[in-house]
């Protein structure tokens, strides 16, 4: 499966806007209208980068009230918050994606953040 920077951004935005610390991957999948395995893959990437903290298997109820084991997102970390702050603005994000297309469409999250910060600084200086 290929990493998708838009999905990563949308997951972080969803987490930031959640009203509790029991964010289920299932709910993100429904909200973003993406298969749960795609969401799970990107959640794992965010956890690998230490942008989020996960809670292991917890039993939750499905929409039809059947219990199942699920992973919950406890919260975003300081680094996750910093990354999201850099890419949250739609104008900045669209400019980052435009710049990334010139180098093949993808880059490390550190480079994405650096691009976003530099674009933000350029906008502030105008």
């Amino acid at each position: 499966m290929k990493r998708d920077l838009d999905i990563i951004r949308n997951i972080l935005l969803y987490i930031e806007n959640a009203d509790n610390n029991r964010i289920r991957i299932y709910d993100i999948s429904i909200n973003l209208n993406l298969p749960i395995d795609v969401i799970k893959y990107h959640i794992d990437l965010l956890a690998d980068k230490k942008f989020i903290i996960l809670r292991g298997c917890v039993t939750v109820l499905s929409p039809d009230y059947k219990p199942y084991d699920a992973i919950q997102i406890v919260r975003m970390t300081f680094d996750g918050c910093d990354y999201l702050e850099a890419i949250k603005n739609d104008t900045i994000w669209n400019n980052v994606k435009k710049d990334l297309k010139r180098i093949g469409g993808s880059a490390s999250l550190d480079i994405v953040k650096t691009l976003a910060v530099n674009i933000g600084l350029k906008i502030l200086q105008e």
Side-chain angles (χ1 to χ4, degrees):
M1 191 175 301
K2 191 172 179 182
R3 179 180 68 181
D4 185 312
L5 296 173
D6 282 312
I7 293 173
I8 286 173
R9 179 178 182 257
N10 289 333
I11 289 170
L12 291 174
L13 287 168
Y14 183 90
I15 294 168
E16 180 184 59
N17 291 316
D19 41 343
N20 64 50
N21 63 349
R22 294 183 186 155
I23 304 160
R24 299 180 307 167
I25 293 172
Y26 173 83
D27 294 331
I28 297 172
S29 173
I30 296 297
N31 185 270
L32 299 182
N33 196 29
L34 291 168
I36 200 154
D37 60 326
V38 172
I39 297 299
K40 175 73 173 93
Y41 174 74
H42 287 84
I43 291 290
D44 288 341
L45 291 175
L46 287 166
D48 290 346
K49 187 70 173 159
K50 297 186 177 18
F51 280 6
I52 58 171
I53 295 174
L54 300 178
R55 179 177 295 144
C57 284
V58 292
T59 302
V60 296
L61 294 177
S62 68
D64 58 353
Y65 300 102
K66 293 182 181 173
Y68 69 96
D69 288 336
I71 294 173
Q72 290 182 334
I73 299 165
V74 176
R75 66 178 178 85
M76 210 178 327
T77 65
F78 194 86
D79 288 339
C81 290
D82 278 353
Y83 178 79
L84 181 58
E85 286 302 320
I87 65 166
K88 187 188 303 186
N89 178 281
D90 289 336
T91 301
I92 291 173
W93 181 242
N94 290 328
N95 282 311
V96 166
K97 292 195 307 183
K98 187 170 46 172
D99 287 350
L100 288 175
K101 281 185 182 177
R102 292 187 297 169
I103 60 168
S106 191
S108 73
L109 296 183
D110 294 329
I111 290 173
V112 171
K113 180 182 174 186
T114 300
L115 277 172
V117 168
N118 288 338
I119 291 167
L121 288 171
K122 194 183 301 182
I123 290 171
L124 286 173
Q125 292 172 351
E126 292 176 351

